């Protein structure tokens, strides 16, 4: 098929239920992956981490209850987890941890979720590397679960994180 050079893949609205270890095999050059409006419940822990060039990842409008691991995605600049149909309720510690932050700061969209529990280090890195999240989109109900410590995690000496709050 010659898909090894494929860099953009839109698979929205395809009733996909899970991404397992064989899904997306051979698509290591992807920079854009749009999997919105499916029925995805799970993404095998390290499956996305193998797509090292991934820049844009849209997982909105699915049924995920956990945040996929993005640890190795140093180029990732956009992650949408908007509208997980009531399934995404927790942000555990180190939810958005990356091994390194390259030149691209990260925009995270979490709006239209019912997040009621946010770990005290949800936006932190285990190795104390400053996270480079430049924009966070949340709903008002999620914002009520955040405290000043979460806001401090999102800012650093060089850049403030923009937080967009929607209804």
């Amino acid at each position: 098929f010659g898909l090894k050079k494929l860099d953009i893949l839109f698979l929205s609205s395809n009733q996909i239920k899970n991404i397992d270890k064989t899904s997306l095999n051979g698509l290591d050059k992807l920079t854009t992956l749009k999997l919105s409006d499916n029925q995805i419940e799970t993404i095998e822990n390290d499956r996305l981490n193998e797509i090292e060039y991934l820049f844009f990842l849209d997982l909105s409008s699915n049924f995920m209850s956990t945040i996929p691991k993005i640890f190795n995605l140093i180029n990732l600049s956009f992650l949408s987890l908007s509208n997980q149909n009531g399934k995404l309720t927790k942000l555990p510690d180190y939810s958005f941890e990356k091994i390194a932050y390259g030149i691209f700061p990260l925009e995270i969209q979490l709006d239209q979720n019912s997040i009621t529990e946010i770990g005290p280090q949800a936006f932190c890195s285990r190795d104390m590397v400053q996270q480079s999240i430049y924009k966070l989109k949340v709903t008002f109900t999620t914002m009520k679960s955040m405290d000043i410590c979460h806001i401090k995690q999102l800012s650093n000496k060089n850049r403030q994180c923009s937080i967009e709050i929607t209804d």
Side-chain angles (χ1 to χ4, degrees), residues 3 15 17 22 31 40 43 58 63 68-69 78 99 104 116 123 138 142 155-156 162-164 167:
L3 296 178
Q15 299 179 352
K17 292 189 180 193
T22 60
T31 60
I40 299 172
I43 294 179
D58 186 352
F63 292 86
K69 296 204 182 308
F78 178 87
I99 193 169
F104 306 110
T116 56
F123 302 103
V138 294
T142 300
S155 63
N156 65 33
S162 165
I163 300 176
E164 182 180 333
D167 289 335

Side-chain angles (χ1 to χ4, degrees), residues 89-152:
T89 60
K90 298 178 184 177
L91 296 181
D93 288 345
Y94 315 113
S95 289
F96 305 101
E97 181 177 36
K98 289 171 63 174
I99 193 169
Y101 280 87
I103 59 172
F104 306 110
L106 181 60
E107 175 179 345
I108 302 169
Q109 294 187 351
L110 294 169
D111 56 307
Q112 301 176 40
N113 284 302
S114 300
I115 298 170
T116 56
E117 185 179 324
I118 302 175
Q121 297 184 345
F123 302 103
C124 289
S125 173
R126 288 176 233 271
D127 62 5
M128 302 307 286
V129 171
Q130 179 67 45
Q131 301 295 60
S132 185
I133 298 170
Y134 83 95
K135 185 173 183 181
L136 178 66
K137 187 174 181 183
V138 294
T139 53
F140 182 71
T141 54
T142 300
M143 193 64 193
K144 289 192 306 189
S145 299
M146 295 179 82
D147 64 27
I148 193 68
C149 292
H150 294 118
I151 306 300
K152 286 181 180 178

